[in-house]
Amino acid sequence: MINQSRKVILAVTGASGSRYARLMAETMIRSGAFNEIALIVTDTARRVIAFEDSDNWLADPKLTLYDNHDFFAPPASGSAGYDAMVVIPCSMGTLGRIASGCAVDLIGRAADVMLKERHSLILVPREAPFSTLHLRNMTALSECGALICPASPSFYAHPADIDALCMSLIERIMSHLQVDMPRFVWKG
C-alpha cells in the first residue's frame, strides 16, 4: 500500500534567523502540499523568535506542535510515516548532535529517524564563519544523505525587502521538498 499523504516535520532551533522559520511555516501551509506539518521548537528558539520576529505563527492551527522533550511524540518513530524534515534555522549544536547520532531531544531523534529511514532531511545552518568542526559535521551528515542548505539567500531576483530576500532560500527548500510553486528561475 502506498501512503498518499505527505507529512513533514518543521524544526526550529535557537540559532538566529527565526524569520526563515516563520516564512517556511507560512509557505508550507499556503502550499497545501502537506496533510500534516509537525512543528518542534526548542526552548531557546522560542526566546529567539520572540526577540527577532513574531511568535504569533506558532499557534497556527494547521501546525501540530510537539514538545521538544517528548520522545513519545510521533516524530520520534519511523512508523509515524513522515516524508521529510526541515531544521530551520539549525544551530551548530543541534547539527553536531545529529551528526554524532546523539539524540538528546525530539529534534535530534526525529532527524535520526529521517536518516535511518532514508527520508529527506534538510538542515539550514545559520552560522558564519564555519569552523573545521562545523564543516566536518556537515560533511558527515551530507555523506549520510542529509541536505545541507546554508541560510544564504540569493540576490538575483532583486528582492525588495528582507522577507523577499529570505524567500529565495525558502523557495529553494520547497523545491527540494518537491513542492511545485512559483519561484525565481535564473535565465542568465
Side-chain angles (χ1 to χ4, degrees):
M1 183 169 79
I2 297 174
N3 180 1
Q4 294 300 318
S5 68
R6 293 200 60 204
K7 297 167 64 172
V8 68
I9 301 166
L10 176 60
V12 186
T13 72
S16 180
S18 60
R19 183 178 302 234
Y20 285 117
R22 175 179 54 81
L23 291 170
M24 188 82 244
E26 291 170 354
T27 304
M28 285 177 164
I29 291 167
R30 207 171 35 254
S31 77
F34 304 102
N35 299 68
E36 181 182 332
I37 303 169
L39 176 64
I40 310 168
V41 183
T42 68
D43 296 336
T44 304
R46 288 179 181 279
R47 293 175 52 206
V48 173
I49 290 166
F51 179 78
E52 287 184 349
D53 199 39
S54 165
D55 61 0
N56 295 340
W57 64 273
L58 295 173
D60 191 300
K62 293 182 178 117
L63 301 170
T64 304
L65 183 61
Y66 292 103
D67 186 306
N68 191 38
H69 305 289
D70 184 4
F71 279 84
F72 284 91
S77 175
S79 65
Y82 289 95
D83 303 295
M85 178 175 181
V86 178
V87 184
I88 182 171
C90 184
S91 69
M92 284 302 159
T94 298
L95 192 142
R97 285 187 295 279
I98 294 169
S100 71
C102 182
V104 298
D105 57 19
L106 184 57
I107 290 174
R109 173 59 187 161
D112 190 43
V113 167
M114 291 293 111
L115 292 173
K116 78 179 185 71
E117 299 291 333
R118 303 289 195 256
H119 293 297
S120 182
L121 174 61
I122 301 171
L123 304 171
V124 184
R126 218 293 312 134
E127 186 66 73
F130 294 131
S131 75
T132 302
L133 284 174
H134 298 156
L135 294 168
R136 286 182 181 148
N137 288 333
M138 286 186 269
T139 299
L141 286 164
S142 180
E143 290 170 345
C144 290
L147 176 69
I148 309 299
C149 187
S152 301
S154 71
F155 295 84
Y156 297 127
H158 302 282
D161 57 27
I162 292 175
D163 278 0
L165 179 65
C166 292
M167 280 304 295
S168 68
L169 177 68
I170 302 306
E171 290 167 0
R172 179 168 285 181
I173 294 167
M174 291 296 282
S175 176
H176 283 286
L177 291 172
Q178 299 178 338
V179 176
D180 188 25
M181 58 176 277
R183 65 184 183 90
F184 176 79
V185 176
W186 175 254
K187 295 182 179 160

